[in-house]
Every structure is written in structure tokens, then in C-alpha cells.
């Protein structure tokens, strides 16, 4: 299998399982309705773990443009593959969001809140303020990159690495996710936001494009900072 196809499929699985748990918790008349933040965070951690297991041996399972950019900045990923990986990740995230829409087809019309419907696709801030929101996404992604690089630099049994990275996602979600919903992945946010824009979701309201740049720019900045810090401090 092509590594680009693997990144597409891995990111699609990530969004299907990750946004799937958000939809299950937020949409009306789901059996998981009101399960809470802990269920969402654990669901995302497991989604990352399983996506890495699914495609890691083929593409390295970046499943996140921030990771691809960080590895390139760190000098551990070839520049001629960066664009292809990122495009595959965005396409996979878009298609994963469509699968979430199809899976919960009977629940969109039962849910009155447009904000909850959007939250099943993309992130949003608890308190809307551009600079603090950007700092939150940047800091959380910096932590993500530093620890992912650290895990890769240590001699763990290979089969444990996806579990460790999934645990990292849970930790970031619990500790740093309460401000912006911890996108920490431009594809995870923008791909589903585009799907929300075009899908025939009843009463969906705005896709909140005025906020959409923060969960893209913040993770990109954080990826570069994290890679440079790791290179300076631990190499």
C-alpha cells in the first residue's frame, strides 16, 4: 500500500472514531448522550492508538500535519513527501467526518442545537478570545510534538508506542483540552469543518469560519516550536 493511501485511511479512521465519540456524547437520543468530557478524551486517545496500529508500519502513521511538519523540521522526514502526506491527511479527515455524519444520520434532526452539531465535526473555544485560544493550541501541540519525539527516541518495545501516544492524547485532553477542545491537528479540525459546510445537516447553522484559522495555525506553530526545542535540548 502507498504511504499516502495509508495516511488517508489512518486519518479517516482517526476522525471516524474520534468525532464519532463526540457525536455520540452530544447528539440527542444517542445511547452515549451526556457521557461527558472524560468519555470524549478517552475516545480520542483510543482513536489515535488504533489508527497508529492500523497504518503505522506503512506510513509511520503521522495522521496529523503537525507531526509531519515537526518530523520534517527535525530532519527525520523527506521534504518531497510533506505535501503528499498533508493532502492525504486532510482528505482522510474530510471523509472520516462524512462517515460520522452517515453513522449518526438519524440523530441530526433530533438535535436542536446548531453548536452541538458543529462540535461533532470541529473544535471551538470555551471562552472565545483569539490570542489565548491560539496560545492554547500552540502550547498543546508543542507538548504533543516534544513527547512524540521523545517516545520515538527511546528504546521501547515497538508495539507499545501507539499505546503511549494514545495515553499522551488523553493527558493533553484532560490537562490542556478544556480551553479549545485540543484540536492539535489542522486536518482533524479543517477537514471536518469543510464537511460540515457542505453536508445537508438539518438546522446546522454556521461552520464558524471566523475561528477556523486558530486550530490550523496554532498546531503548525506548535509543531515547529516542539521540533526545534527537542532538537536543541535533547539531540
Amino acid at each position: 500500500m502507498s504511504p499516502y493511501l495509508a495516511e488517508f485511511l489512518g486519518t479517516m479512521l482517526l476522525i471516524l472514531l474520534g468525532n464519532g465519540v463526540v457525536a455520540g456524547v452530544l447528539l440527542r437520543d444517542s445511547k452515549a448522550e451526556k457521557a461527558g468530557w472524560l468519555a470524549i478524551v478517552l475516545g480520542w486517545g483510543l482513536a489515535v492508538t488504533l489508527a497508529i496500529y492500523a497504518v503505522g508500519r506503512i506510513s509511520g502513521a503521522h495522521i496529523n500535519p503537525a507531526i509531519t511538519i515537526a518530523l520534517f523540521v527535525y530532519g527525520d522526514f523527506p521534504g518531497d513527501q510533506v505535501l503528499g502526506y498533508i493532502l492525504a491527511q486532510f482528505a482522510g479527515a474530510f471523509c472520516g467526518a462524512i462517515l460520522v455524519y452517515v453513522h449518526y444520520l438519524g440523530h441530526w434532526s433530533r438535535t436542536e442545537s446548531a453548536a452541538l452539531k458543529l462540535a461533532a465535526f470541529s473544535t471551538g473555544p470555551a471562552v472565545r478570545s483569539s490570542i489565548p485560544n491560539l496560545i492554547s493550541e500552540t502550547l498543546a501541540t508543542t507538548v504533543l510534538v516534544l513527547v512524540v519525539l521523545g517516545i520515538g527516541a527511546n528504546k521501547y518495545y515497538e508495539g507499545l508506542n501507539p499505546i503511549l501516544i494514545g495515553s499522551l492524547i488523553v493527558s493533553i485532553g484532560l490537562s490542556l483540552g478544556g480551553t479549545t477542545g485540543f484540536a492539535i491537528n489542522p486536518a482533524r479540525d479543517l477537514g471536518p469543518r469543510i464537511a460540515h459546510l457542505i453536508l445537508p445537516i438539518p438546522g446546522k447553522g454556521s461552520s464558524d469560519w471566523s475561528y477556523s484559522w486558530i486550530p490550523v495555525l496554532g498546531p503548525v506553530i506548535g509543531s515547529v516550536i516542539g521540533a526545534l526545542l527537542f532538537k536543541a535540548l535533547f539531540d
Side-chain angles (χ1 to χ4, degrees), residues 192-219:
R193 197 180 297 271
I194 295 171
H196 177 272
L197 174 68
I198 68 171
L199 285 169
I201 303 166
K204 66 180 177 180
S206 165
S207 300
D208 196 11
W209 292 104
S210 64
Y211 178 77
S212 65
W213 62 277
I214 290 174
V216 173
L217 182 60

Side-chain angles (χ1 to χ4, degrees), residues 124-207:
V127 176
R128 187 175 294 261
S129 184
S130 293
I131 298 304
N133 297 158
L134 183 64
I135 290 171
S136 289
E137 283 294 330
T138 299
L139 178 58
T141 310
T142 300
V143 171
L144 171 70
V145 168
L146 282 170
V147 180
V148 166
L149 291 175
I151 290 170
N154 283 284
K155 300 296 181 183
Y156 299 111
Y157 289 106
E158 249 180 74
L160 288 179
N161 283 0
I163 297 173
L164 294 173
I165 295 173
S167 300
L168 168 62
I169 299 302
V170 172
S171 180
I172 290 173
L174 292 174
S175 301
L176 305 175
T179 53
T180 60
F182 74 117
I184 59 175
N185 181 339
R188 171 266 176 273
D189 195 272
L190 185 58
R193 197 180 297 271
I194 295 171
H196 177 272
L197 174 68
I198 68 171
L199 285 169
I201 303 166
K204 66 180 177 180
S206 165
S207 300

Side-chain angles (χ1 to χ4, degrees), residues 65-77 145 149 222-224 226-228:
I67 296 299
T68 301
I69 292 168
L71 290 173
F72 169 69
V73 171
Y74 182 61
D76 202 25
F77 189 72
V145 168
L149 291 175
S223 70
V224 174
L228 293 177

Side-chain angles (χ1 to χ4, degrees), residues 5-234:
L5 178 57
E7 282 296 298
F8 169 83
L9 293 173
T11 311
M12 184 172 68
L13 178 63
L14 169 71
I15 299 303
L16 174 59
L17 297 179
N19 277 6
V21 70
V22 178
V25 170
L26 297 183
L27 297 181
R28 287 290 305 276
D29 298 329
S30 158
K31 289 182 181 292
E33 186 181 1
K34 299 181 181 178
W37 183 246
L38 183 58
I40 289 173
V41 169
L42 288 173
W44 271 105
L46 289 169
V48 169
T49 297
L50 296 173
I52 295 172
Y53 274 127
V55 302
R57 67 185 178 84
I58 302 166
S59 67
H62 298 187
I63 58 175
N64 181 347
I67 296 299
T68 301
I69 292 168
L71 290 173
F72 169 69
V73 171
Y74 182 61
D76 202 25
F77 189 72
D80 61 351
Q81 293 185 39
V82 169
L83 180 59
Y85 264 55
I86 290 175
L87 290 175
Q89 291 153 3
F90 274 102
F94 174 80
C95 291
I98 291 176
L99 291 178
V100 172
Y101 164 75
V102 171
H103 185 80
Y104 285 95
L105 199 58
H107 295 266
W108 303 106
S109 61
R110 294 172 177 265
T111 305
E112 295 178 0
S113 170
L116 292 182
K117 293 173 188 177
L118 176 59
F121 288 86
S122 295
T123 62
V127 176
R128 187 175 294 261
S129 184
S130 293
I131 298 304
N133 297 158
L134 183 64
I135 290 171
S136 289
E137 283 294 330
T138 299
L139 178 58
T141 310
T142 300
V143 171
L144 171 70
V145 168
L146 282 170
V147 180
V148 166
L149 291 175
I151 290 170
N154 283 284
K155 300 296 181 183
Y156 299 111
Y157 289 106
E158 249 180 74
L160 288 179
N161 283 0
I163 297 173
L164 294 173
I165 295 173
S167 300
L168 168 62
I169 299 302
V170 172
S171 180
I172 290 173
L174 292 174
S175 301
L176 305 175
T179 53
T180 60
F182 74 117
I184 59 175
N185 181 339
R188 171 266 176 273
D189 195 272
L190 185 58
R193 197 180 297 271
I194 295 171
H196 177 272
L197 174 68
I198 68 171
L199 285 169
I201 303 166
K204 66 180 177 180
S206 165
S207 300
D208 196 11
W209 292 104
S210 64
Y211 178 77
S212 65
W213 62 277
I214 290 174
V216 173
L217 182 60
V220 170
I221 296 171
S223 70
V224 174
I225 293 173
L228 293 177
L229 277 176
F230 191 87
K231 197 173 185 68
L233 296 175
F234 300 107

